[in-house]
Amino acid sequence: MRQVFWTLSTLLSHWRRRPGNFAALFVGLAIATALWSGVQALNAQARKSYDQAASVFSSGGAQSLTPASGATVPQDAYIKLRRAGWKVSPALEAAVLIHGAPYQLIGVEPLTLPRGGQLGGQIAARAEGGDFAAFLAPPGQTIAAPDTLRDLGAKEGDRVALDTGKILPPLRSSALAPPGALTVDIGVAQTLLDRPGQVSRLMLLKKPDAGTPPLASVVGEALRLPPPGEEEADLKRLTESFHLNLTAFGLLAFLVGLFIVHAAFGLAFEQRLPMVRTLRAVGASTRTLGAALFAEVALLALVAGGCGVIGGFELASALLPNVAASLDALYGARVAGRLALDPVWLLSGLGIALAGALAAAAGGLVKTLRLPILAAAQPFAWREAQRRFLRRRAILALLAFGAALAAYGFGDSLYSGFAVLAGLLIGAALLLPVLLSAALRLGERFAHAPLPNWFWADSRQQLPGLSLALTALLLAFATNVGVGGMVEGFRQTFAHWLDERLAAEVYFEAAGEPQARRIEDWLKRQPEVQALLPGASASVRLSGWPTGVIGMAADATYRDHFPMLDQTPDAWDAMKRGDSALISEQLWRRLKLGLGSSLDLPTARGMWRVQVVGVFPDYGNPKGQVRVDIDALSAHWPEAPRVSYGVRVAPAEAPRLIAALQARFGQDIARIADQAAIRKISTRIFEHTFAVTTALNTLTLVVSAIALLASLTTLADMRLAQVAPVWASGVSRRRLAQLEFLRIVALTAATAIVAVPLGLALAWCLVAVVNVQAFGWRLPYEMFPAQWASVLALALLTAAVAAIAPILRFVRTTPAQLARIFANER
Amino acid sequence: MTYGATIEDARTPAKAKAQLLRVSRLRKSYATPQGPVAVLRGVDLTLESGESMALMGESGSGKSTLLHLIGGLDTAEAGEILIDGADATRLSDAGRAALRRETLAVVFQQFNLIPSLTVRANVAFQARLAGRFDPAWTDELIRRLKLENLLERYPEQLSGGQQQRAAIGRALAVRPRLLLADEPTGNLDEATADEFMALALDVVAATGCGFLMVTHSERLAAKLQRQVRLSAGVIDRP
Amino acid sequence: MNAKALAFVLLALGSPAAAQGFAGLGGEAAGFEQVVPGKPLVFPQDFGAHPTFRTEWWYLTANLTDETGAPYGVQWTLFRQAGTPGEERSGWANQNVWMGHAAVTTATDHVFAETFARGGVGQAGALAQPFHAWIDDWSFSSEGDGLARAKISASGDAFRYAFDLAADGPLAPQGDGGFSLKSDEGGASYYFSQPFYKISGVVTLRGKEVKLKGLAWMDREWSSQPLGKTQKGWDWFSLHLASGEKVMLFRLRDETGRDFQAGTWISAGGAPQKLDRDDIVLTPLAQNEIAGRTLPARWRVQVKSRGLDVETKPVNPASFMATSFPYWEGPIAFDGSQRGEGYLEMTGYAPQAQR
């Protein structure tokens, strides 16, 4: 033990003399851990929220009636059910942002809530304090857990504003409140969320008995009673791809971070070989040395990993609002609450840091332990070693490409999609030094003047030391090109698609059928209304997959505008006949249908067989969609309310029409918005979805820039000895500094140039493989040369920034320091 | 290719037995945590073209420092270093680079070949840099230094003696006016050292340049025309 | 007289007033309309809700028998309570809270249910013309004009009932033409009854359908401040005498002063006559332990001026309503100077531990 201690402290003394190397190691490991554990924290928080959200409403196995389609139903359904003897309690839930952080707003009706449940309990607990009436009487109360209050930075009685500007009722603390939840009266929630007269769920307090009329006879198909666990299962299935994507990016970032660690460790082991020899010579056994080396790695993993875990926590806290917003918008999954420092997560973060550090250090460790005590006479044979290194790399790269190809050829899942991606990236990473080396050799061959010749030859010698950093950069640049290309491609496609899909100028939903008829009659008499496009919907499950059936009129508007991927020539006429349907791309892929295939739709009156006559893109929809003629829909689902409308008017007339409708019909209209508003909401969903991707992307780039800086810094000491003879032969320091700078910029630029095709391959892989598997839709593959140029510029800038410090240091080296290289008395 | 200013004086052909090097009142000290330590306290030294001189002294007496100052690798605090009558201490960084490139050549104890270049490229490097690469002369050097079979090798693939032969080849390929050597045999065994010295003196004689060598070895020093001893920062007067 | 409704709702809402016992009922009523003597009842308006008053209730109790002659009791109650005074607001902002109680009692069984609803959204309410009071699927509605013919229904965990009601006598204003004094301090309510209902229908009790018929008594009462500060509970009787006469009696037990008593004698033809406070003697006889409380099981009931002197006994001594605010309410039979049946309500008997 004493031996290990002294050996360890001797080994550690190395770092004191190489603070730059230590910094690279530390930062690399910390960042790798931070990115990985940050993503893990986000995923864990989201999953915890799904469970929590479910348990809030389903404590003790209680079930809820949920809207068959859409997020809410008119509260009229609640009244109808209560008056038919159904013991239900209404709730309206949604994610809200406060200071950019997500919370779950829950509107409840306390009188019908079971006192024993969590929601009722928290209010009842407050009531014992003598303040129950205050929950109902204006301004009401917001009940929240003490932790939630702390997160809000508020105290009891404070009124907190939502980011929308609406103000919550005064806060009250209750230990029974679900974490991250803000419970208010349902009426207050409807006002806060701008959902007057709408509820999102009806909690079933008691199974209806024999004398209670069946659900469908009371509210038609507006509500359904999902089997226990279905809600959570759907949510988990729908969000799985999202989390997998997040995990993949976290893993990529982690690997890039480990590249730094590997480089820093490798260098340290190399530099410490003489020290290790001496230690062995004075009697440290291989076991002692092994234990000391392992302890060193473990210590570093603990310290750097600890910092990384904390950083990951901060990262996750910063990204949580975006993750929450996109999960809410895409899947209706509510993620709320504050990230908690979970000990299990903390330990697993440290564990991954240790595993990563060990993996990164393994090569060096083994090499050090196998080191013969007596040094071989000849100096390190870098040229031979490099040749072997490159050959091995090339072989491994080919293997990785082969694996990617195999995964593409034989795989049929999101995992195989990621395998393609991984194979491609790893292969390219392995191949990069081979390519760069070949390019440099070519340069060396064509350079005859001594200095350029030396420049190329020396760059080639530098390659192994820089290749890890350059590889990290390659991955970062390639993901930037790839992910950037995908996001940009999606942005354009999505915008265009929205333009076509949002053909009508005004959209509204009536509060009920009778109201819808009245509004329809009125609108038909308005001269400015060019067309009225009614819609209705029903929900079905196709092969277990939640699917919406939308009824639409085969109006000229749709024929002209509705975006299609593929259709039969008479698609719209066939649909109008009522025996044909358009299906979404997701459905087309999942059910492997083609034009002309028949599709059985389960209705209350048995199967309805329709023919598929068209496939349309339905970006962002996690569920399937079938579009049929509205009259055919009404025939098969008579209870499906016809309450949704699109109205065609001149765009300038839209605001006036909305105002007129609101003034005239007021509460009869559940929702109304113009095209611009819907476009804005959709675009915001899109931005949220990719905000996380973009953030991780940028972080990866930053990490690789740090890797380059770290490599250059650690190499700077060795460089001096390599450059000094050239200097002694009569090349000025300024000139040498210029060449050093040029070398790094050239290598980085070459890396960026390799990154562009790799990025394009990556983008293709993302749009054609990963996205299709993850979301069920395929984006058009587009190229954005301007983006490549910006990545190239970014690369050069990165190189310049990373190179500037070591080069300044070189320029500042005094002749005395350089001369000392040649001094005998060293 | 030229780098920085050229020094016409250094290039003008010297008169026979003209004074090639004159060092006067040269002073140099190093900063240490205990305060500045004077290494050279007023060194005076002359060397004529074609003359060879051994510079001796105990470890730490300042031999290498003196050699580095003469070689334009370092700068002095006071005093003059006249090489062919021009004062090297007044030169800029670029000027010193040109001096190193075109007038001087240095052979180090650690050989200090350029690791990324072959023996052939190493030998030709400085001559090419100075723009006076002479294939015939280089070939002759290679033959005389017995480097013919090692030309495509890299420094790491050579033994110490082979490396030092390549280093002296590089130094002489440029036809320097003054060859400086800092314990060139310090890393070689006695037999190899003797063989190297014989070769070195042979080629030095062939170029007619001045030769200043720092050495510990009385035996090797005896092979040179003059011997001076540095102690406590000044040249011992014999 | 059922003023317990106030207590229920206040307790349910956890109002500070509840913490002060029934004092709250006599406490802050500012902003609500006050009960004043001399104001005539107006029909059909007074069948419906009175949102300007703080509280009101619709109350029906029935004594029935099955085909074998076994006795049953049935209760149907709807309460309304306003949280704050002022213009009635629409939607969830409405300040009214509604509460329903329903029960079925036999000699060996007693089942009950309780339900709550917010005003303003349609889950509960009371309309005057045609009369319809409801909460959830519980309903009390007239068939045609007035209250002479009506239907009533309710359900709970173990029971469901639906009855037809037909009155063979007029509505009976209580107190002075509907002004019913409740305390010496002036607490009062507007109060009228329909004691002449014949009732028939079907109850499904624990899965078993039973046809029943008998007599029912309906109370309608509204107020803003009915009780005195020290009144802690009450005992209330509605009696159907074999002679066809109907009697309502109550005693408000006072913590400090003299108990407040009142009653009405209604002739078989429907003419009500207010009874003097000292004319009524209510004497608890045997005590009974139930739900941790000691309650009178049997009473001696006397109305001296009418020569009434009977002893009541419950159909089921365990007719306890373990609702949010617990009380005893159930059918009784009596014997003595007259025979008959009726309903008894006893509130404010604290559990032993709290005595």
Side-chain angles (χ1 to χ4, degrees):
Chain A
M1 204 51 223
R2 202 176 57 229
Q3 271 187 39
V4 174
F5 176 78
W6 286 113
T7 308
L8 177 61
S9 53
T10 310
L11 286 171
L12 288 178
S13 70
H14 171 79
W15 302 113
R16 207 169 43 235
R17 292 189 41 235
R18 309 263 176 193
N21 195 356
F22 180 76
L25 185 60
F26 187 90
V27 170
L29 195 53
I31 289 180
T33 312
L35 288 173
W36 171 258
S37 55
V39 166
Q40 292 306 311
L42 283 175
N43 282 342
Q45 180 66 24
R47 296 208 175 100
K48 202 169 96 192
S49 288
Y50 305 153
D51 291 343
Q52 224 158 43
S55 75
V56 165
F57 294 104
S58 64
S59 56
Q63 283 176 270
S64 289
L65 300 171
T66 53
S69 65
T72 60
V73 291
Q75 92 193 11
D76 180 44
Y78 162 66
I79 303 300
K80 280 185 188 159
L81 281 168
R82 282 300 294 207
R83 296 199 48 188
W86 282 72
K87 295 296 176 195
V88 287
S89 184
L92 177 63
E93 340 126 55
V96 293
L97 291 178
I98 299 172
H99 309 314
Y103 295 87
Q104 186 183 17
L105 184 75
I106 305 175
V108 294
E109 201 295 287
L111 296 184
T112 47
L113 218 50
R115 303 286 151 93
Q118 190 178 15
L119 287 173
Q122 57 173 347
I123 302 168
R126 286 302 312 182
E128 273 162 26
D131 224 4
F132 194 95
F135 186 80
L136 295 183
Q141 293 180 337
T142 305
I143 297 185
D147 275 356
T148 311
L149 246 64
R150 205 161 51 235
D151 292 347
L152 287 167
K155 56 184 188 310
E156 288 222 356
D158 285 357
R159 299 196 65 170
V160 177
L162 302 180
D163 288 356
T164 57
K166 302 224 170 168
I167 297 174
L168 285 168
L171 282 161
R172 287 287 176 270
S173 164
S174 167
L176 288 172
L182 302 166
T183 308
V184 296
D185 183 63
I186 184 151
V188 173
Q190 288 176 344
T191 309
L192 288 173
L193 298 171
D194 254 331
R195 288 278 173 89
Q198 299 287 308
V199 298
S200 63
R201 116 181 8 245
L202 297 177
M203 287 170 270
L204 190 58
L205 312 178
K206 212 175 71 186
K207 279 259 167 30
D209 60 22
T212 312
L215 185 63
S217 73
V218 183
V219 291
E221 297 298 311
L223 287 163
R224 57 188 291 270
L225 182 60
E230 188 200 78
E231 239 181 305
E232 295 96 302
D234 274 357
L235 209 54
K236 282 191 175 138
R237 195 169 51 199
L238 292 175
T239 54
E240 189 199 349
S241 317
F242 184 87
H243 290 300
L244 195 55
N245 261 335
L246 215 56
T247 306
F249 275 105
L251 193 62
L252 179 68
F254 182 65
L255 288 178
V256 171
L258 282 192
F259 270 112
I260 310 179
V261 179
H262 183 77
F265 261 131
L267 189 69
F269 282 125
E270 207 65 60
Q271 286 168 342
R272 287 191 302 193
L273 286 181
M275 180 201 274
V276 169
R277 280 203 186 94
T278 311
L279 281 168
R280 294 287 313 279
V282 300
S285 69
T286 310
R287 258 172 68 179
T288 305
L289 197 61
L293 284 169
F294 181 81
E296 183 186 37
V297 173
L299 199 65
L300 275 165
L302 202 70
V303 176
C307 292
V309 170
I310 291 166
F313 184 77
E314 295 299 323
L315 177 70
S317 306
L319 290 179
L320 188 62
N322 276 319
V323 171
S326 49
L327 282 169
D328 187 30
L330 285 176
Y331 311 106
R334 276 125 201 152
V335 174
R338 175 179 67 136
L339 280 174
L341 270 174
D342 176 12
V344 176
W345 171 78
L346 201 90
L347 284 178
S348 75
L350 289 178
I352 198 86
L354 181 61
L358 278 176
L365 264 169
V366 169
K367 196 166 152 193
T368 307
L369 290 176
R370 282 198 188 151
L371 189 72
I373 296 183
L374 291 176
Q378 78 265 42
F380 180 59
W382 71 269
R383 194 160 297 272
E384 184 50 35
Q386 189 176 18
R387 212 185 333 266
R388 277 204 306 273
F389 165 81
L390 290 178
R391 195 178 313 127
R392 204 169 55 227
R393 282 258 174 141
I395 292 166
L396 287 173
L398 288 179
L399 284 177
F401 286 138
L405 208 61
Y408 177 66
F410 301 110
D412 189 24
S413 71
L414 186 51
Y415 291 97
S416 68
F418 278 125
V420 174
L421 221 57
L424 203 62
L425 285 175
I426 292 171
L430 289 166
L431 204 56
L432 178 71
V434 182
L435 292 177
L436 288 179
S437 176
L440 292 171
R441 194 190 293 268
L442 210 65
E444 196 178 341
R445 180 161 304 164
F446 286 104
H448 292 297
L451 214 51
N453 186 266
W454 170 76
F455 175 81
W456 294 112
D458 194 62
S459 301
R460 203 145 66 84
Q461 190 193 1
Q462 290 271 78
L463 209 50
L466 284 175
S467 72
L468 279 161
L470 291 176
T471 307
L473 271 180
L474 173 78
L475 296 183
F477 289 149
T479 20
N480 258 287
V481 171
V483 175
M486 179 194 72
V487 172
E488 190 54 40
F490 190 23
R491 196 192 302 275
Q492 291 186 3
T493 308
F494 190 71
H496 182 66
W497 173 76
L498 265 183
D499 281 346
E500 291 185 329
R501 187 79 172 253
L502 295 177
E505 282 71 23
V506 173
Y507 292 83
F508 73 89
E509 190 183 308
E513 290 256 11
Q515 292 92 327
R517 295 295 85 75
R518 280 205 304 279
I519 299 168
E520 191 177 334
D521 289 345
W522 184 79
L523 277 172
K524 278 179 178 156
R525 292 197 307 272
Q526 304 312 307
E528 71 268 31
V529 174
Q530 295 157 6
L532 194 57
L533 310 170
S537 67
S539 286
V540 295
R541 283 182 170 259
L542 296 180
S543 303
W545 195 35
T547 301
V549 183
I550 312 279
M552 64 196 278
D555 187 89
T557 302
Y558 290 127
R559 291 174 190 246
D560 295 346
H561 292 282
F562 197 76
M564 299 284 273
L565 294 172
D566 197 6
Q567 63 188 95
T568 59
D570 63 337
W572 291 99
D573 293 325
M575 191 175 113
K576 202 178 177 111
R577 275 201 311 273
D579 58 0
S580 301
L582 309 177
I583 62 172
S584 71
E585 184 189 0
Q586 286 91 312
L587 206 58
W588 171 66
R589 286 184 190 279
R590 184 178 278 246
L591 301 185
K592 298 190 166 56
L593 294 169
L595 291 185
S597 308
S598 51
L599 175 66
D600 287 330
L601 299 173
T603 74
R605 287 151 197 79
M607 284 291 175
W608 174 29
R609 175 159 294 195
V610 291
Q611 209 184 18
V612 176
V613 292
V615 178
F616 59 91
D618 197 23
Y619 302 121
N621 190 348
K623 299 182 178 175
Q625 200 175 84
V626 178
R627 287 186 172 248
V628 295
D629 180 68
I630 186 162
D631 294 326
L633 181 104
S634 295
H636 288 89
W637 284 274
E639 60 291 331
R642 278 171 90 144
V643 292
S644 303
Y645 291 88
V647 187
R648 296 297 313 266
V649 292
E653 295 285 343
R656 209 174 325 151
L657 184 70
I658 289 177
L661 276 167
Q662 278 170 330
R664 192 175 178 89
F665 296 101
Q667 293 278 315
D668 289 351
I669 298 175
R671 263 173 294 208
I672 186 161
D674 63 4
Q675 203 189 63
I678 292 181
R679 190 192 312 269
K680 212 160 91 187
I681 293 166
S682 310
T683 312
R684 200 162 55 215
I685 294 172
F686 169 84
E687 297 297 344
H688 278 308
T689 306
F690 289 104
V692 178
T693 313
T694 311
L696 287 177
N697 212 8
T698 309
L699 279 171
T700 312
L701 192 64
V702 170
V703 169
S704 39
I706 293 173
L708 186 63
L709 176 65
S711 298
L712 291 176
T713 310
T714 51
L715 286 174
D717 290 339
M718 290 160 88
R719 285 304 289 154
L720 226 46
Q722 290 163 347
V723 171
V726 182
W727 171 74
S729 297
V731 180
S732 67
R733 277 176 300 160
R734 175 195 290 271
R735 181 68 185 158
L736 284 171
Q738 286 167 356
L739 288 174
E740 284 296 286
F741 189 76
L742 193 64
R743 181 196 330 280
I744 291 161
V745 170
L747 284 173
T748 316
T751 305
I753 288 167
V754 177
V756 169
L758 177 63
L760 293 180
L762 189 68
W764 180 84
C765 207
L766 284 170
V767 299
V769 184
V770 173
N771 247 341
V772 174
Q773 294 294 350
F775 303 115
W777 32 262
R778 179 170 182 162
L779 290 167
Y781 179 59
E782 287 173 52
M783 300 201 188
F784 302 95
Q787 204 182 33
W788 311 343
S790 78
V791 165
L792 203 64
L794 194 65
L796 298 180
L797 188 71
T798 310
V801 169
I804 208 112
I807 281 166
L808 277 179
R809 211 174 121 195
F810 180 76
V811 169
R812 289 204 190 113
T813 312
T814 60
Q817 284 168 314
L818 272 167
R820 206 167 299 144
I821 300 286
F822 307 114
N824 298 334
E825 297 96 6
R826 265 190 286 175
Chain B
M1 278 174 123
T2 51
Y3 294 91
T6 57
I7 313 231
E8 286 306 318
D9 293 346
R11 258 197 213 165
T12 42
K15 293 166 281 185
K17 294 288 178 188
Q19 208 165 53
L20 173 62
L21 171 71
R22 180 185 188 87
V23 175
S24 322
R25 299 177 308 282
L26 197 62
R27 288 180 171 277
K28 176 76 181 175
S29 57
Y30 289 115
T32 69
Q34 289 75 37
V37 171
V39 182
L40 303 179
R41 303 162 181 246
V43 172
D44 298 303
L45 191 75
T46 57
L47 186 73
E48 324 231 301
S49 286
E51 191 179 20
S52 65
M53 178 194 279
L55 179 61
M56 304 176 68
E58 292 167 9
S59 287
S61 60
K63 308 184 294 289
S64 287
T65 304
L66 178 56
L67 196 80
H68 290 166
L69 288 176
I70 296 168
L73 298 174
D74 206 348
T75 50
E77 277 149 29
E80 279 184 340
I81 303 170
L82 294 175
I83 297 175
D84 270 346
D87 188 354
T89 57
R90 305 240 172 97
L91 291 175
S92 64
D93 202 51
R96 281 202 308 279
L99 177 71
R100 288 198 304 274
R101 191 163 66 230
E102 293 164 5
T103 308
L104 305 173
V106 193
V107 177
F108 300 100
Q109 178 179 357
Q110 313 287 347
F111 325 130
N112 296 95
L113 293 170
I114 298 167
S116 50
L117 299 181
T118 59
V119 168
R120 185 196 292 282
N122 261 291
V123 170
F125 187 73
Q126 192 177 344
R128 286 173 180 273
L129 213 54
R132 33 174 115 119
F133 177 64
D134 177 349
W137 170 235
T138 308
D139 285 350
E140 186 183 340
L141 273 176
I142 286 169
R143 188 173 44 78
R144 287 200 186 197
L145 292 168
K146 301 189 179 110
L147 292 169
E148 298 97 322
N149 297 325
L150 307 173
L151 288 175
E152 297 311 317
R153 295 207 191 167
Y154 286 89
E156 72 202 35
Q157 297 164 313
L158 303 182
S159 70
Q162 287 169 339
Q163 286 198 51
Q164 202 56 299
R165 278 167 17 222
I168 202 160
R170 176 181 67 183
L172 293 177
V174 76
R175 287 184 188 271
R177 303 273 297 126
L178 173 59
L179 175 64
L180 302 171
D182 189 1
E183 298 221 36
T185 59
N187 280 346
L188 305 178
D189 60 70
E190 211 165 87
T192 313
D194 285 348
E195 189 194 339
F196 169 74
M197 278 308 296
L199 275 170
L201 290 172
D202 178 28
V203 292
V204 164
T207 58
C209 68
F211 181 32
L212 176 61
M213 180 175 83
V214 168
T215 181
H216 272 301
S217 165
E218 298 279 357
R219 194 172 54 79
L220 291 178
K223 295 179 193 264
L224 272 57
Q225 292 166 345
R226 284 171 62 197
Q227 293 81 28
V228 293
R229 182 169 293 275
L230 196 61
S231 74
V234 291
I235 301 287
D236 280 355
R237 292 295 157 196
Chain C
M1 68 112 251
N2 310 319
K4 69 176 185 285
L6 296 172
F8 284 147
V9 176
L10 286 174
L11 191 90
L13 293 180
S15 157
Q20 302 167 17
F22 295 115
L25 302 186
E28 271 312 304
F32 291 106
E33 192 173 342
Q34 297 304 305
V35 175
V36 290
K39 191 179 162 208
L41 301 174
V42 184
F43 302 120
Q45 286 94 312
D46 284 339
F47 299 156
H50 301 81
T52 51
F53 289 84
R54 181 151 66 174
T55 187
E56 65 186 316
W57 50 89
W58 295 255
Y59 219 119
L60 187 109
T61 51
N63 296 85
L64 308 103
T65 51
D66 64 10
E67 282 150 346
T68 69
Y72 280 74
V74 162
Q75 181 194 342
W76 190 103
T77 321
L78 179 66
F79 305 96
R80 181 190 64 80
Q81 165 81 6
T84 50
E87 184 97 348
E88 195 179 14
R89 294 185 291 265
S90 68
W92 293 108
N94 185 283
Q95 54 273 64
N96 287 309
V97 167
W98 298 76
M99 178 176 74
H101 282 181
V104 175
T105 310
T106 69
T108 54
D109 203 357
H110 174 76
V111 292
F112 61 90
E114 178 180 44
T115 185
F116 291 92
R118 297 269 286 278
V121 292
Q123 190 187 341
L127 303 172
Q129 182 66 23
F131 168 69
H132 184 204
W134 77 94
I135 182 166
D136 295 345
D137 56 335
W138 302 5
S139 167
F140 184 5
S141 58
S142 67
E143 304 267 285
D145 284 351
L147 293 178
R149 295 175 63 79
K151 282 182 179 300
I152 195 160
S153 64
S155 63
D157 274 345
F159 70 94
R160 172 179 295 277
Y161 62 68
F163 295 108
D164 292 317
L165 298 165
D168 56 4
L171 296 171
Q174 303 276 12
D176 295 315
F179 176 82
S180 168
L181 203 60
K182 293 292 189 290
S183 76
D184 295 323
E185 294 157 36
S189 67
Y190 293 114
Y191 184 8
F192 70 86
S193 304
Q194 171 47 277
F196 294 107
Y197 272 132
K198 293 275 190 300
I199 182 168
S200 66
V202 176
V203 62
T204 310
L205 181 61
R206 302 198 189 277
K208 226 181 91 195
E209 269 192 26
V210 191
K211 276 196 179 143
L212 301 174
K213 59 182 182 188
L215 302 175
W217 178 305
M218 188 210 71
D219 278 333
R220 256 309 267 124
E221 194 162 4
W222 61 100
S223 175
S224 291
Q225 189 180 14
L227 294 193
K229 285 188 186 346
T230 53
Q231 292 172 331
K232 61 173 181 179
W234 59 86
D235 308 298
W236 174 91
F237 293 84
S238 63
L239 307 175
H240 300 278
L241 304 189
S243 61
E245 290 160 303
K246 312 286 180 184
V247 182
M248 188 283 293
L249 303 166
F250 65 81
R251 174 178 84 158
L252 286 157
R253 302 191 304 278
D254 201 301
E255 261 182 329
T256 54
R258 200 157 65 101
D259 290 348
F260 188 90
Q261 296 190 145
T264 305
W265 192 279
I266 303 163
S267 71
Q273 174 112 40
K274 194 175 133 193
L275 297 172
D276 279 352
R277 184 173 185 165
D278 296 329
D279 198 12
I280 303 163
V281 184
L282 298 171
T283 317
L285 300 172
Q287 302 285 318
N288 185 30
E289 290 281 329
I290 180 156
R293 295 165 170 82
T294 304
L295 290 155
R298 289 183 287 121
W299 291 76
R300 182 175 178 198
V301 175
Q302 293 165 271
V303 178
K304 290 184 279 188
S305 62
R306 304 283 176 161
L308 181 77
D309 186 351
V310 296
E311 189 181 317
T312 73
K313 62 173 197 286
V315 170
N316 181 348
S319 304
F320 195 77
M321 301 289 283
T323 40
S324 302
F325 180 80
Y327 59 103
W328 193 100
E329 173 133 13
I332 52 171
F334 56 89
D335 211 342
S337 66
Q338 293 257 33
R339 290 165 58 89
E341 56 197 351
Y343 246 77
L344 167 63
E345 175 179 271
M346 299 182 285
T347 71
Y349 290 91
Q352 253 87 350
Q354 291 181 16
R355 286 208 163 166

